[in-house]
mmCIF file with all atom_site columns, all heavy atoms in Angstrom:
data_model
loop_
_atom_site.group_PDB
_atom_site.id
_atom_site.type_symbol
_atom_site.label_atom_id
_atom_site.label_alt_id
_atom_site.label_comp_id
_atom_site.label_asym_id
_atom_site.label_entity_id
_atom_site.label_seq_id
_atom_site.pdbx_PDB_ins_code
_atom_site.Cartn_x
_atom_site.Cartn_y
_atom_site.Cartn_z
_atom_site.occupancy
_atom_site.B_iso_or_equiv
_atom_site.pdbx_formal_charge
_atom_site.auth_seq_id
_atom_site.auth_comp_id
_atom_site.auth_asym_id
_atom_site.auth_atom_id
_atom_site.pdbx_PDB_model_num
ATOM 1  N N   . PRO A 1 698 ? -101.035 80.103 21.460 1.00 0.00 ? 891 PRO A N   1
ATOM 2  C CA  . PRO A 1 698 ? -100.914 81.379 22.223 1.00 0.00 ? 891 PRO A CA  1
ATOM 3  C C   . PRO A 1 698 ? -102.026 81.662 23.258 1.00 0.00 ? 891 PRO A C   1
ATOM 4  O O   . PRO A 1 698 ? -103.130 81.202 22.963 1.00 0.00 ? 891 PRO A O   1
ATOM 5  C CB  . PRO A 1 698 ? -100.785 82.377 21.114 1.00 0.00 ? 891 PRO A CB  1
ATOM 6  C CG  . PRO A 1 698 ? -101.470 81.755 19.924 1.00 0.00 ? 891 PRO A CG  1
ATOM 7  C CD  . PRO A 1 698 ? -101.247 80.296 20.122 1.00 0.00 ? 891 PRO A CD  1
ATOM 8  N N   . SER A 1 699 ? -101.678 82.289 24.282 1.00 0.00 ? 892 SER A N   1
ATOM 9  C CA  . SER A 1 699 ? -102.672 82.422 25.296 1.00 0.00 ? 892 SER A CA  1
ATOM 10 C C   . SER A 1 699 ? -103.773 83.431 24.763 1.00 0.00 ? 892 SER A C   1
ATOM 11 O O   . SER A 1 699 ? -103.412 84.496 24.458 1.00 0.00 ? 892 SER A O   1
ATOM 12 C CB  . SER A 1 699 ? -102.093 83.000 26.555 1.00 0.00 ? 892 SER A CB  1
ATOM 13 O OG  . SER A 1 699 ? -101.133 82.023 27.092 1.00 0.00 ? 892 SER A OG  1
ATOM 14 N N   . PRO A 1 700 ? -104.946 83.062 24.836 1.00 0.00 ? 893 PRO A N   1
ATOM 15 C CA  . PRO A 1 700 ? -106.030 84.022 24.353 1.00 0.00 ? 893 PRO A CA  1
ATOM 16 C C   . PRO A 1 700 ? -106.280 85.109 25.420 1.00 0.00 ? 893 PRO A C   1
ATOM 17 O O   . PRO A 1 700 ? -105.878 85.011 26.580 1.00 0.00 ? 893 PRO A O   1
ATOM 18 C CB  . PRO A 1 700 ? -107.278 83.116 24.220 1.00 0.00 ? 893 PRO A CB  1
ATOM 19 C CG  . PRO A 1 700 ? -107.048 82.059 25.231 1.00 0.00 ? 893 PRO A CG  1
ATOM 20 C CD  . PRO A 1 700 ? -105.582 81.856 25.284 1.00 0.00 ? 893 PRO A CD  1
ATOM 21 N N   . MET A 1 701 ? -107.116 86.014 24.937 1.00 0.00 ? 894 MET A N   1
ATOM 22 C CA  . MET A 1 701 ? -107.422 87.154 25.910 1.00 0.00 ? 894 MET A CA  1
ATOM 23 C C   . MET A 1 701 ? -108.240 86.524 27.016 1.00 0.00 ? 894 MET A C   1
ATOM 24 O O   . MET A 1 701 ? -108.943 85.654 26.887 1.00 0.00 ? 894 MET A O   1
ATOM 25 C CB  . MET A 1 701 ? -108.187 88.246 25.150 1.00 0.00 ? 894 MET A CB  1
ATOM 26 C CG  . MET A 1 701 ? -107.197 88.817 24.057 1.00 0.00 ? 894 MET A CG  1
ATOM 27 S SD  . MET A 1 701 ? -108.075 90.085 23.034 1.00 0.00 ? 894 MET A SD  1
ATOM 28 C CE  . MET A 1 701 ? -108.645 91.232 24.314 1.00 0.00 ? 894 MET A CE  1
ATOM 29 N N   . LYS A 1 702 ? -108.297 87.246 28.063 1.00 0.00 ? 895 LYS A N   1
ATOM 30 C CA  . LYS A 1 702 ? -109.094 86.780 29.221 1.00 0.00 ? 895 LYS A CA  1
ATOM 31 C C   . LYS A 1 702 ? -110.589 86.780 28.940 1.00 0.00 ? 895 LYS A C   1
ATOM 32 O O   . LYS A 1 702 ? -111.332 85.940 29.312 1.00 0.00 ? 895 LYS A O   1
ATOM 33 C CB  . LYS A 1 702 ? -108.769 87.584 30.534 1.00 0.00 ? 895 LYS A CB  1
ATOM 34 C CG  . LYS A 1 702 ? -107.266 87.369 30.902 1.00 0.00 ? 895 LYS A CG  1
ATOM 35 C CD  . LYS A 1 702 ? -107.032 88.221 32.324 1.00 0.00 ? 895 LYS A CD  1
ATOM 36 C CE  . LYS A 1 702 ? -105.621 88.026 32.781 1.00 0.00 ? 895 LYS A CE  1
ATOM 37 N NZ  . LYS A 1 702 ? -105.340 88.779 34.046 1.00 0.00 ? 895 LYS A NZ  1
ATOM 38 N N   . GLU A 1 703 ? -110.930 87.926 28.225 1.00 0.00 ? 896 GLU A N   1
ATOM 39 C CA  . GLU A 1 703 ? -112.362 87.982 27.945 1.00 0.00 ? 896 GLU A CA  1
ATOM 40 C C   . GLU A 1 703 ? -112.921 86.963 26.965 1.00 0.00 ? 896 GLU A C   1
ATOM 41 O O   . GLU A 1 703 ? -114.150 86.772 26.807 1.00 0.00 ? 896 GLU A O   1
ATOM 42 C CB  . GLU A 1 703 ? -112.755 89.342 27.422 1.00 0.00 ? 896 GLU A CB  1
ATOM 43 C CG  . GLU A 1 703 ? -111.923 89.677 26.072 1.00 0.00 ? 896 GLU A CG  1
ATOM 44 C CD  . GLU A 1 703 ? -110.620 90.362 26.453 1.00 0.00 ? 896 GLU A CD  1
ATOM 45 O OE1 . GLU A 1 703 ? -110.158 90.305 27.650 1.00 0.00 ? 896 GLU A OE1 1
ATOM 46 O OE2 . GLU A 1 703 ? -109.977 90.923 25.495 1.00 0.00 ? 896 GLU A OE2 1
ATOM 47 N N   . CYS A 1 704 ? -111.945 86.075 26.448 1.00 0.00 ? 897 CYS A N   1
ATOM 48 C CA  . CYS A 1 704 ? -112.443 85.144 25.419 1.00 0.00 ? 897 CYS A CA  1
ATOM 49 C C   . CYS A 1 704 ? -112.190 83.795 25.881 1.00 0.00 ? 897 CYS A C   1
ATOM 50 O O   . CYS A 1 704 ? -111.889 82.825 25.120 1.00 0.00 ? 897 CYS A O   1
ATOM 51 C CB  . CYS A 1 704 ? -111.699 85.315 23.990 1.00 0.00 ? 897 CYS A CB  1
ATOM 52 S SG  . CYS A 1 704 ? -111.983 86.865 23.150 1.00 0.00 ? 897 CYS A SG  1
ATOM 53 N N   . ALA A 1 705 ? -112.094 83.649 27.236 1.00 0.00 ? 898 ALA A N   1
ATOM 54 C CA  . ALA A 1 705 ? -111.819 82.179 27.801 1.00 0.00 ? 898 ALA A CA  1
ATOM 55 C C   . ALA A 1 705 ? -112.833 81.255 27.499 1.00 0.00 ? 898 ALA A C   1
ATOM 56 O O   . ALA A 1 705 ? -112.656 80.123 27.260 1.00 0.00 ? 898 ALA A O   1
ATOM 57 C CB  . ALA A 1 705 ? -111.680 82.423 29.228 1.00 0.00 ? 898 ALA A CB  1
ATOM 58 N N   . ASP A 1 706 ? -114.093 81.689 27.366 1.00 0.00 ? 899 ASP A N   1
ATOM 59 C CA  . ASP A 1 706 ? -115.146 80.780 27.103 1.00 0.00 ? 899 ASP A CA  1
ATOM 60 C C   . ASP A 1 706 ? -115.150 80.126 25.664 1.00 0.00 ? 899 ASP A C   1
ATOM 61 O O   . ASP A 1 706 ? -115.269 79.038 25.458 1.00 0.00 ? 899 ASP A O   1
ATOM 62 C CB  . ASP A 1 706 ? -116.580 81.432 27.410 1.00 0.00 ? 899 ASP A CB  1
ATOM 63 C CG  . ASP A 1 706 ? -116.729 82.738 26.509 1.00 0.00 ? 899 ASP A CG  1
ATOM 64 O OD1 . ASP A 1 706 ? -115.567 83.287 26.112 1.00 0.00 ? 899 ASP A OD1 1
ATOM 65 O OD2 . ASP A 1 706 ? -117.832 83.300 26.348 1.00 0.00 ? 899 ASP A OD2 1
ATOM 66 N N   . VAL A 1 707 ? -114.599 81.117 24.756 1.00 0.00 ? 900 VAL A N   1
ATOM 67 C CA  . VAL A 1 707 ? -114.487 80.596 23.331 1.00 0.00 ? 900 VAL A CA  1
ATOM 68 C C   . VAL A 1 707 ? -113.307 79.647 23.315 1.00 0.00 ? 900 VAL A C   1
ATOM 69 O O   . VAL A 1 707 ? -113.317 78.579 22.656 1.00 0.00 ? 900 VAL A O   1
ATOM 70 C CB  . VAL A 1 707 ? -114.217 81.793 22.308 1.00 0.00 ? 900 VAL A CB  1
ATOM 71 C CG1 . VAL A 1 707 ? -113.925 81.329 21.046 1.00 0.00 ? 900 VAL A CG1 1
ATOM 72 C CG2 . VAL A 1 707 ? -115.368 82.834 22.382 1.00 0.00 ? 900 VAL A CG2 1
ATOM 73 N N   . ARG A 1 708 ? -112.262 79.961 23.966 1.00 0.00 ? 901 ARG A N   1
ATOM 74 C CA  . ARG A 1 708 ? -111.057 78.934 23.996 1.00 0.00 ? 901 ARG A CA  1
ATOM 75 C C   . ARG A 1 708 ? -111.417 77.704 24.519 1.00 0.00 ? 901 ARG A C   1
ATOM 76 O O   . ARG A 1 708 ? -111.160 76.658 23.955 1.00 0.00 ? 901 ARG A O   1
ATOM 77 C CB  . ARG A 1 708 ? -110.005 79.745 24.837 1.00 0.00 ? 901 ARG A CB  1
ATOM 78 C CG  . ARG A 1 708 ? -108.776 78.768 24.949 1.00 0.00 ? 901 ARG A CG  1
ATOM 79 C CD  . ARG A 1 708 ? -107.958 79.248 26.163 1.00 0.00 ? 901 ARG A CD  1
ATOM 80 N NE  . ARG A 1 708 ? -108.582 79.152 27.357 1.00 0.00 ? 901 ARG A NE  1
ATOM 81 C CZ  . ARG A 1 708 ? -108.163 79.565 28.516 1.00 0.00 ? 901 ARG A CZ  1
ATOM 82 N NH1 . ARG A 1 708 ? -107.127 80.353 28.581 1.00 0.00 ? 901 ARG A NH1 1
ATOM 83 N NH2 . ARG A 1 708 ? -109.033 79.397 29.719 1.00 0.00 ? 901 ARG A NH2 1
ATOM 84 N N   . ASP A 1 709 ? -112.194 77.622 25.619 1.00 0.00 ? 902 ASP A N   1
ATOM 85 C CA  . ASP A 1 709 ? -112.522 76.366 26.300 1.00 0.00 ? 902 ASP A CA  1
ATOM 86 C C   . ASP A 1 709 ? -113.496 75.655 25.448 1.00 0.00 ? 902 ASP A C   1
ATOM 87 O O   . ASP A 1 709 ? -113.362 74.354 25.266 1.00 0.00 ? 902 ASP A O   1
ATOM 88 C CB  . ASP A 1 709 ? -113.253 76.593 27.663 1.00 0.00 ? 902 ASP A CB  1
ATOM 89 C CG  . ASP A 1 709 ? -112.336 77.292 28.652 1.00 0.00 ? 902 ASP A CG  1
ATOM 90 O OD1 . ASP A 1 709 ? -111.042 77.102 28.516 1.00 0.00 ? 902 ASP A OD1 1
ATOM 91 O OD2 . ASP A 1 709 ? -112.665 77.900 29.581 1.00 0.00 ? 902 ASP A OD2 1
#
Side-chain angles (χ1 to χ4, degrees):
S892 300
M894 297 175 58
K895 294 183 179 180
E896 58 271 13
C897 300
D899 54 345
V900 177
R901 178 198 62 192
D902 295 339

